[in-house]
Amino acid sequence: MRIFIRSTVGLPAWMAFLAGVFIACSPRLRPLVSHQIDDNEALDRLGVRLDTYAGIQTPVLLLGGHRSPAHLGERLDALARVLPHAERVVLHGQGHGAHASAPAKVAATIESFATRSTS
């Protein structure tokens, strides 16, 4: 996880070390580590497929938080550039866990998007 947090998330080595220690000590998070590695390997095998995503005609909400790791915002921005019916929304004051820290705000954003997209 330290390698993932440093290389993929982009946190400094000292923060990756602390996060790795925290995750290792957390009975709730520790079992998720192997799945994170599996997910990353599967995504790496697929490669960048922005050309494939460009063909999606369904409206797509790309929801991120302004406090989320930079790599997530960069990925959402890349998708927003190629998806023909994408809406990119940044929740101010929120990070990657907005579903837990601001569930009403996330729900309202999704509801608003769904209403506009199905009208």
Side-chain angles (χ1 to χ4, degrees):
M1 281 309 294
R2 287 184 4 220
I3 293 169
F4 168 77
I5 292 169
R6 190 179 66 245
S7 299
T8 302
V9 176
L11 292 180
W14 70 269
M15 290 178 88
F17 173 79
L18 291 177
V21 170
F22 173 76
I23 291 167
C25 294
S26 170
R28 185 176 63 83
L29 296 177
R30 190 175 43 249
L32 303 176
V33 172
S34 62
H35 301 294
Q36 180 68 60
I37 293 167
D38 292 341
D39 289 350
N40 277 10
E41 288 175 351
L43 288 170
D44 286 345
R45 281 193 301 275
L46 285 173
V48 177
R49 301 179 49 166
L50 292 175
D51 56 334
T52 302
Y53 301 139
I56 296 173
Q57 297 301 313
T58 303
V60 176
L61 174 63
L62 300 170
L63 183 58
H66 96 271
R67 294 177 53 214
S68 292
H71 77 97
L72 296 177
E74 292 164 3
R75 292 164 198 237
L76 290 176
D77 290 342
L79 288 168
R81 286 191 293 273
V82 300
L83 288 165
H85 305 287
E87 181 178 325
R88 174 81 161 92
V89 175
V90 177
L91 295 178
H92 295 283
Q94 296 303 314
H96 187 54
H99 65 286
S101 61
K105 192 172 190 177
V106 171
T109 303
I110 294 168
E111 181 179 25
S112 174
F113 174 76
T115 299
R116 288 190 314 280
S117 299
T118 58
S119 305

